[in-house]
Amino acid sequence: MDPIVTCRGLSKTFGKGELAVHALRDIDLDIMPGEIATLAGPSGSGKTTLLNMIGALDEPTSGEVTVDGQPLGGLSRSQLSDLRLSKIGFVFQSYNLIPVLSARENIEFVLQLQGVSAAERHDRAMEAIKEVGLSGLEDRRPGKMSGGQQQRVAVARALVSRPAVVLADEPTANLDSKNALALVELMRSLNREHGTTFLIGTHDVRVLEQSMRHIEMLDGRIDRDARGSA
Amino acid sequence: MIDGLKTMLPLAWRNLWRNPRRTGITLIVVAIGLWSILFFSAFMNAWAKSSKETTLQLLLGSGQIHAEGYMDDPSIETLMDPPDRDLNSALDAPAVADWTTRVVVPGVVQSEYKTLPATIVGVDPAAEARISSIPGRITEGRYLDSSDDDSAVLGLHMVERLKTGLGRRVILMSQNAEGAMSEQSFDVVGIYDADKATEDLYVFTGRAASQRFLGLEGEIAQVVFVLQEETALEDAVAALAEAAPALDVRGWKDLNLFLASMDSYMGVFVHVWLSIVFALMAIGIVNTQLMAVFERTQEFGLLRALGMKPRRVLVMVTIENALLIGIGVLLGMVLAAVTIWSLSDGIDFSAFARAMEMVQTGEIIYLKYEPGAFILFPGLIWLLGILVTLWPALRASKCRPVEAMRRET
């Protein structure tokens, strides 16, 4: 089986000369389809930078990233947008929902960008809402939802386009224990039912305990890469 | 494309009301700016029309015919014969609403107290009433009865300066046809009220009476004509000139250059005002839209991260701006329409009657809807507004997701 994400010799340096910060140093990494992998490590270890590189949000200083067989190097801004739209789902720490859209509309938005028909958008969004346990709340705007509910909408939005990989950066950081556990359980069940691949940057022990693979980062390098039994 | 618009429009509409205060301020700026342009345009055009009509109706007419040389030396030596058959027939053409002849010579008017320079005008009162507003401006006494009436009608200000009045007599003096001075006593039977310059200059008497007084044998100084349609001026002047090739035929634009300049520059004034207002509006709109874009940088980063292409972000923000400015434009149009409608019975400037006389305009200015202005100016404001807001929209579209969302990383 081919990896869904491949990083080869990936480095990222911010700044120049004496002020240069080496955020990533020569990273080699494969993420396999259906994995729930966690990126752990102290602040500044390079978790977010690595997620940004894989998510085509930032360009590496050197090295190559391949997502679902597509090398990112040399793609135009527009092509990178298409790649993010079709192959990558994002879940952010602060939910990042569009405040003027309802839960359903937020989920549908990605499908609209993909040019999916209105009827299919509606059906798929409602199905995603059901899957994340928010039935009945589909017409609520983010401002009228709890943090946990908003993060569930974000997960539904990330999954509704059936991406190759979902990148989640500190998804539980703003949630209380109950909601954090519920979210982790949700991601686990989605992984089990749909084989969705998750790469999660986190400090949260509850998330780390549920992951199949722990990738420990330190000073821009992969310090440890271990597969668990969860 | 249509599906894309269906996606963008509701989102753009909701985004507009995320900051109602800022949206409200922008709407007010656009609405008041456009209102001022439409109202100013309607007012200036109404004022110019009133000014033109007042001047044309006073003595000028749509045009005049003189003997060659009269305009350079308007004296008894440059008079002409009454219209011949060809000219008569041209003057009776459908394009000419009415016409009359006048004797106009320089002279002096004398009372017991004072002697003043004057222009003596001999008129046919019946025809004059159809051509000129002077007969309708009599404030004391009466206008002339007939062409043979050897009474005098003086302007209000001249009467004051001469210290004379209704029922008194004044002496008119002018060079006669034989080159000698003629003088004759005339009863003051009427006093007219016009602008000060006209009141101070023109003394009216009957045309036949003035010809007798000056020893003329039917000669006249001018033919004054009024056209059915102002737009036919050039054609009418050409036709009359063809009928009377030896005479000097001029339209009002060649007779009153100041009025002609005012008429042609009115559009320029309105466009200068449009430019000033738009420049101020543009500063306000760009400023608020830049603020809006800046505040939503993170959101644009999110949209880009989710896969929205830069061009689509540009279109989305442009649709928002087009909606915002479009609503402001509609409000401005409604505001201007209501203002013009509420003032359609006329703006009464009679309290400033003397000042209005100075600028030779009516005391009541009648505003009118100008369909052309209600299409042109709102359209211009809308398009130019969208154009200037392309800058903030471009900024939004060019954001790099990872930088825009930095606060999240």
Side-chain angles (χ1 to χ4, degrees), chain A residues 81-82 84 96 100 105, chain B residues 7 14 302 304 309 405 408:
Chain A
S81 294
D82 282 339
R84 286 194 295 270
N96 276 356
V100 294
E105 289 167 333
Chain B
T7 309
R14 291 183 204 176
L302 167 73
R304 295 277 293 108
K309 291 183 180 177
M405 299 176 70
E408 293 302 312

Side-chain angles (χ1 to χ4, degrees), chain A residues 88-116:
Chain A
I88 303 169
F90 291 96
V91 179
F92 302 99
Q93 180 178 332
S94 295
Y95 331 130
N96 276 356
L97 301 177
I98 300 169
V100 294
L101 299 182
S102 68
R104 180 180 55 77
E105 289 167 333
N106 262 286
I107 296 164
E108 275 192 39
F109 187 75
V110 179
L111 299 176
Q112 283 179 326
L113 293 179
Q114 288 182 332
V116 175

